[in-house]
Amino acid sequence: MTAQTVQQGDLVTVIGLEVHVQLETDTKIFCGCSTEPTDEPNENVCPVCLGLPGALPVLNEGAVEAAVKIGKAIDADIPEETRFHRKNYYYPDLPKNFQITQYDEPICADGELEISVEGDRRTVAIERAHLEEDPGSLQHVGGGGGIDTAEYTLVDYNRAGTPLMEIVTAPDFRSPDEVRAFLAELEEVLEYLGVFDAERDGSLRIDANLSIIPEEEIDGDAEEIDGDALEAANRTEVKNISSHKGAQKALAYEETRQKNAIQRGRAVEQETRHWDESRGITVSMRSKEEEKDYRYFEEADLPPLQVSGWKAEIAIPELPRARRRRFQEEYGLSEEAASKLTSTKQVADFYEDVAGEFDPDLAATWVADNLLGELNYRDMEITEMEGRLEEVTRLVELVAEDEITAKNARETVLRSMLDDGASPDEIVEEEGLGKTDEDEVQQAVVEAIDENPGAVEDYESGDDGAINFLVGQVMQKTGGSADPGDVNQLLRAELEG
Ligand SMILES: [Zn+2]
């Protein structure tokens, strides 16, 4: 991003993120329990994820693979060896009274991700990304469901032990819009890597630190915030954010709240606040714990993990940013079209299939505008088109070969495919949308007239019966597939014209 001009007396917003990503593995990170969501509480549990005495953790290979993929995608340093630590705290969602996580030797460090905000490109530094286990979930019952008012609380350990990757950025964001762009890009990358399911509840959980710093306390460029200035400012941590849109709203609210306080000469308290999505506000939760409260110590039940072998073996696919650029160069697409067409890996793969068979521009119109537009209107995802994308390709073929009009294809066939589940050929047949027959009949009409000047002369001199002879000729030429009434009209139109 180009350095923003900061006026004297301006307040600079500084935001850093901790993003918890649920990794898409079949089983939990330290036991063989399923991670499949279920409505039955405490169904997917065992002695390990219940923290029963004597149960030992065994690290899930799939979680390490996913972490290495993420590390490669964000250009992080992946060390030869990584370690696990215990983060100690007492809370009912954590049956062992400690969480197995990583501390000073995380699996990924010093990464980055490029984002684009209104055409400005910039790079956000990612300080670290580490593996850890998810705690269980609590359900507060009665008294309005609040933690402080509930009659009692139920604990569900189905989620306990789900693998998480915690991604920690530098305080590099200067606006809620940048945060939104970063999270959207990160979600795309994770989805491309196949390590993340955005549709799953709680798959992305974001904590954001936000500080407002008077410009005069910053030495030099507002882009490079001086450590002392950041240390001096009180920051709030906003929790309970679950999407890139939510992050933008929560941080815009918090930014305004803090700026208003400062402008009125009030101190901003250092605290943790909860984003209340339904009310659109942040509310104070509790004062922030210091890191030392957790008494981290090494997890003796898990040996240090040698990661170098994995690093060499694991390959990652072409990522959204690279694919967007290639789409622009290879298919001549605009940046906007390329962005839409790379929004998920499945969309991008499908576009490339269609563009490979037909004209890339026609393919772009069909995939980006028509298909995604109609899906969006129905609140559907392309993943719900599993097994039916060939039908969409067939529809594009009908348009490319000029067998139906683009308007009919879009407005009748595609919509009816999505709403009624019929195939494009069935719909074209049923609705009589085929163009070829009409063209063929017209062609036969012209031929019949050219080849029979005598009958034409008779017709023109008032012998109306001569038209029947010409209709017969056209019927012969079209193998009897034309409608005699239509042929009659077409002939008259041609002769009168
Ligand atoms: Zn288990």
Side-chain angles (χ1 to χ4, degrees):
M1 189 174 73
T2 50
Q4 64 200 73
T5 328
V6 179
Q7 301 300 315
Q8 191 63 27
D10 265 358
L11 296 172
V12 179
T13 302
V14 180
I15 306 168
L17 301 178
E18 287 173 17
V19 185
H20 293 87
V21 177
Q22 261 188 5
L23 299 177
E24 190 70 352
T25 53
D26 294 338
T27 53
K28 294 184 181 179
I29 185 166
F30 299 122
C31 63
C33 291
S34 170
T35 53
E36 197 59 39
T38 163
D39 291 334
E40 186 66 37
N42 296 304
E43 192 185 11
N44 297 329
V45 293
C46 73
V48 174
C49 54
L50 287 177
L52 300 187
L56 292 172
V58 177
L59 182 59
N60 181 343
E61 195 176 4
V64 180
E65 269 179 25
V68 172
K69 282 183 186 170
I70 293 173
K72 286 191 159 189
I74 59 172
D75 287 324
D77 294 336
I78 299 170
E80 297 284 297
E81 186 180 285
T82 181
R83 271 168 213 270
F84 288 89
H85 274 72
R86 293 182 176 185
K87 179 179 180 177
N88 295 278
Y89 66 97
Y90 177 79
Y91 206 62
D93 62 359
L94 198 68
K96 299 191 293 287
N97 292 342
F98 62 83
Q99 178 190 31
I100 304 180
T101 179
Q102 298 197 283
Y103 187 48
D104 52 357
E105 294 178 63
I107 192 163
C108 303
D110 292 329
E112 59 180 41
L113 193 66
E114 191 185 291
I115 58 168
S116 156
V117 183
E118 284 168 14
D120 278 335
R121 293 221 170 101
R122 61 168 306 203
T123 300
V124 173
I126 293 171
E127 290 178 349
R128 54 182 282 148
H130 67 252
L131 279 167
E132 63 185 27
E133 60 181 337
D134 211 352
S137 43
L138 301 179
Q139 195 191 337
H140 306 296
V141 183
I147 188 168
D148 47 351
T149 54
E151 287 164 33
Y152 57 92
T153 295
L154 298 170
V155 190
D156 179 3
Y157 291 118
N158 280 338
R159 206 183 68 185
T162 301
L164 295 182
M165 189 78 168
E166 180 175 332
I167 299 169
V168 182
T169 76
D172 274 1
F173 304 98
R174 295 294 167 269
S175 71
D177 285 346
E178 290 179 13
V179 170
R180 180 180 172 153
F182 172 85
L183 291 169
E185 180 73 23
L186 179 66
E187 265 193 63
E188 273 187 27
V189 167
L190 295 169
E191 195 265 343
Y192 266 61
L193 295 173
V195 300
F196 170 71
D197 177 5
E199 296 297 300
R200 184 183 270 199
D201 251 4
S203 57
L204 199 68
R205 277 167 276 152
I206 302 134
D207 299 340
N209 286 298
L210 187 145
S211 316
I212 304 289
I213 303 179
E215 190 270 333
E216 56 267 24
E217 286 174 24
I218 300 165
D219 288 337
D221 194 344
E223 292 308 302
E224 318 267 330
I225 298 288
D226 169 50
D228 293 340
L230 195 55
E231 205 57 48
N234 270 350
R235 62 172 187 267
T236 54
E237 184 172 11
V238 184
K239 287 186 174 282
N240 192 45
I241 302 170
S242 59
S243 69
H244 54 266
K245 287 177 196 147
Q248 192 209 25
K249 281 189 209 151
L251 294 169
Y253 176 88
E254 190 55 24
E255 182 182 47
T256 307
R257 189 187 72 85
Q258 291 194 24
K259 280 187 175 172
N260 284 345
I262 292 167
Q263 275 155 0
R264 287 175 194 154
R266 291 208 309 263
V268 172
E269 235 176 293
Q270 177 131 330
E271 61 177 351
T272 300
R273 297 179 71 87
H274 176 93
W275 167 238
D276 187 332
E277 179 116 47
S278 57
R279 290 157 75 199
I281 59 170
T282 65
V283 287
S284 182
M285 273 171 82
R286 57 184 143 93
S287 61
K288 175 147 175 57
E289 308 96 341
E290 291 299 321
E291 188 121 288
K292 60 177 186 281
D293 292 348
Y294 291 125
R295 292 171 55 246
Y296 283 94
F297 57 84
E298 203 172 320
E299 170 56 79
D301 291 338
L302 289 166
L305 178 71
Q306 308 300 319
V307 214
S308 38
W310 306 73
K311 200 167 99 181
E313 273 168 36
I314 290 171
I316 57 169
E318 184 182 30
L319 294 173
R321 191 192 336 145
R323 208 165 189 187
R324 274 196 294 276
R325 281 179 195 155
R326 182 166 63 76
F327 275 20
Q328 290 177 59
E329 285 159 19
E330 197 172 324
Y331 302 113
L333 300 176
S334 69
E335 188 172 352
E336 195 198 344
S339 274
K340 266 193 197 172
L341 290 167
T342 51
S343 59
T344 73
K345 187 166 181 296
Q346 202 181 359
V347 168
D349 288 347
F350 181 55
Y351 170 72
E352 292 219 84
D353 280 353
V354 180
E357 278 189 58
F358 313 105
D359 172 55
D361 281 339
L362 180 72
T365 302
W366 268 88
V367 179
D369 300 337
N370 300 351
L371 178 62
L372 293 183
E374 293 295 329
L375 287 174
N376 190 35
Y377 178 71
R378 287 164 181 75
D379 210 13
M380 284 171 73
E381 298 288 331
I382 196 168
T383 44
E384 295 170 61
M385 293 295 288
E386 196 83 53
R388 298 200 64 202
L389 288 175
E390 288 150 28
E391 293 180 0
V392 180
T393 310
R394 168 65 183 151
L395 179 56
V396 181
E397 185 181 26
L398 291 172
V399 177
E401 294 185 349
D402 212 23
E403 295 194 20
I404 53 174
T405 64
K407 187 172 185 288
N408 280 338
R410 188 178 66 242
E411 290 174 10
T412 308
V413 185
L414 181 61
R415 287 176 189 174
S416 166
M417 279 170 66
L418 295 174
D419 295 334
D420 311 323
S423 79
D425 288 292
E426 282 164 4
I427 300 161
V428 168
E429 172 82 33
E430 257 169 46
E431 304 282 331
L433 299 173
K435 254 165 65 172
T436 325
D437 288 353
E438 234 175 78
D439 290 348
E440 259 176 35
V441 175
Q442 183 60 35
Q443 173 93 19
V445 164
V446 173
E447 281 173 21
I449 291 170
D450 285 349
E451 290 164 12
N452 300 285
V456 173
E457 211 170 295
D458 289 350
Y459 173 79
E460 280 168 351
S461 62
D463 178 6
D464 204 55
I467 199 88
N468 292 333
F469 172 78
L470 291 170
V471 169
Q473 294 298 304
V474 173
M475 293 306 286
Q476 229 170 27
K477 284 176 186 293
T478 56
S481 72
D483 178 85
D486 289 348
V487 171
N488 194 310
Q489 278 184 4
L490 285 169
L491 277 166
R492 286 181 196 277
E494 191 68 32
L495 291 165
E496 306 298 330

